[in-house]
Amino acid sequence: MEFVTYEVEGLTGIITINRPNALNALNSQVLEELDEILTHIDTSLVRALILTGDGEKSFVAGADIGEMKTFTKKEGETFGKKGNDLFHRLETFPLPIIAAVNGFALGGGCELCLSCDIRICSENAVFGQPEAGLGITPGFGGTQRLARIIGPGMAKQMIYTARNIKAEEAYRIGLVNAIYPQKELLLEAKKMAKGIADNAPIAVRNCKKAINDGLQVDMDQAVMIEEKLFGDCFETQDQKEGMGAFLEKRKERNFIM
Ligand code: CO8
């Protein structure tokens, strides 16, 4: 792969976008490489993923403007579909994904972190949806996910004004869960991933599915989704182990898949 790397540390998989000449912007090749990596992740060996950008300046500075400039309507739709399919895959991937936003997260870069489960960022992070200033709408789900995460009022303000916001503001409006000094960001992401990996993997997976699927439907249906996934846990060895450990006052829990 030219622009994306994948490494495993313990039970955590770390995906890094590395396209320094373009501040890690997403061209078709980056999107394809990310997709390819997801295909090859062994979900029985890792329990959480971290997605980050290489360097100390940029997470992802958007979709590649150079590539998009000459798009026809059809090419725009094809590129949009490629990104949307990938982001949907990330959103529904059977492992929690932490976006460690290490700098610019603009346009498609902001949308990329929105498709992850959890966002934390460095102090120099900058978020924004500059598309309206480029004559387009967000095209990788930004109008939908941003509104769901920070609420329609704030999302509309960010998208209509195309104004970038800094880490502090992103934290205040709930776009990120925490801000860390650049040097500590990846370490903190790894600590969080370990905290997730210490828990029962099928239960965590079911939690992700319950939250995501439940947000698509009304409350009555959402609760039914949770009921089903809750019930499914009682068929797992992890449920016996987790509850057994509590009752036996054992700290160590030996969760399997
Ligand atoms: N695409 C391509 N190249 C980029 C991008 C990008 N999004 N961002 C930066 N680069 C390149 C620059 O062109 C420059 O290249 P070169 O050295 O060859 O001139 C290099 O990266 C470094 O960038 P700068 O010199 O501009 O660095 P600065 O520190 O001065 O500025 C900024 C950093 C503020 C991040 C600035 O680069 C910038 O504004 N970038 C563009 C940000 C942006 O508008 N992103 C949104 C793009 S649109 C989008 O993402 C739509 C998503 C949905 C697509 C759906 C399709 C259907």
Side-chain angles (χ1 to χ4, degrees):
M1 300 242 170
E2 188 179 354
F3 298 131
V4 187
T5 61
Y6 178 65
E7 56 193 322
V8 176
E9 269 187 45
L11 294 170
T12 302
I14 304 163
I15 303 170
T16 307
I17 300 172
N18 184 358
R19 196 182 166 219
N21 295 343
L23 300 183
N24 301 332
L26 303 171
N27 62 8
S28 295
Q29 190 178 333
V30 176
L31 296 175
E32 283 156 18
E33 289 186 13
L34 282 167
D35 197 54
E36 183 71 14
I37 278 182
L38 293 183
T39 301
H40 288 99
I41 289 175
D42 186 340
T43 54
S44 66
L45 293 182
V46 291
R47 295 184 182 176
L49 296 177
I50 295 171
L51 176 61
T52 192
D54 194 55
E56 299 198 340
K57 183 169 176 180
S58 184
F59 172 69
V60 166
D64 191 299
I65 299 173
E67 183 176 349
M68 288 187 297
K69 185 167 176 293
T70 54
F71 274 175
T72 59
K73 174 174 156 53
K74 180 135 186 45
E75 287 167 335
E77 282 171 5
T78 304
F79 188 65
K81 179 161 168 37
K82 190 176 276 191
N84 272 323
D85 287 352
L86 171 68
F87 288 16
H88 180 257
R89 198 170 174 200
L90 288 165
E91 188 169 50
T92 56
F93 200 72
L95 295 173
I97 307 179
I98 301 165
V101 180
N102 56 307
F104 290 114
L106 302 176
C110 188
E111 292 168 303
L112 178 62
C113 77
L114 293 171
S115 71
C116 297
D117 295 276
I118 295 167
R119 284 154 295 285
I120 59 175
C121 74
S122 55
E123 290 164 337
N124 65 325
V126 176
F127 296 82
Q129 297 290 162
E131 286 88 346
L134 293 164
I136 54 174
T137 67
F140 291 157
T143 56
Q144 304 310 308
R145 292 195 182 93
L146 190 62
R148 283 167 172 78
I149 290 169
I150 64 172
M154 274 296 178
K156 285 176 176 175
Q157 184 175 327
M158 272 182 74
I159 292 169
Y160 299 169
T161 65
R163 182 177 70 83
N164 292 345
I165 61 169
K166 293 185 177 163
E168 274 302 331
E169 189 171 354
Y171 177 68
R172 185 172 58 74
I173 64 175
L175 182 48
V176 295
N177 292 5
I179 306 170
Y180 298 103
Q182 177 72 257
K183 298 255 175 292
E184 292 167 26
L185 178 67
L186 198 54
L187 199 66
E188 292 295 336
K190 287 177 188 174
K191 271 193 219 163
M192 189 186 288
K194 181 169 182 327
I196 293 169
D198 285 345
N199 293 317
I202 294 173
V204 171
R205 185 179 296 195
N206 285 5
C207 291
K208 172 167 177 168
K209 190 166 171 48
I211 294 169
N212 281 354
D213 292 0
L215 285 170
Q216 308 300 322
V217 297
D218 68 34
M219 182 59 98
D220 289 347
Q221 284 177 282
V223 168
M224 282 166 65
I225 290 171
E226 188 190 76
E227 269 172 24
K228 160 86 176 66
L229 289 161
F230 172 76
D232 288 350
C233 292
F234 289 85
E235 289 186 323
T236 67
Q237 183 57 38
D238 284 351
Q239 175 268 328
K240 289 165 190 54
E241 171 65 10
M243 293 192 176
F246 173 80
L247 294 173
E248 292 157 23
K249 306 194 187 306
R250 243 193 310 126
K251 267 209 168 137
E252 309 72 41
R253 293 157 304 163
N254 185 23
F255 290 127
I256 51 169
M257 287 299 283

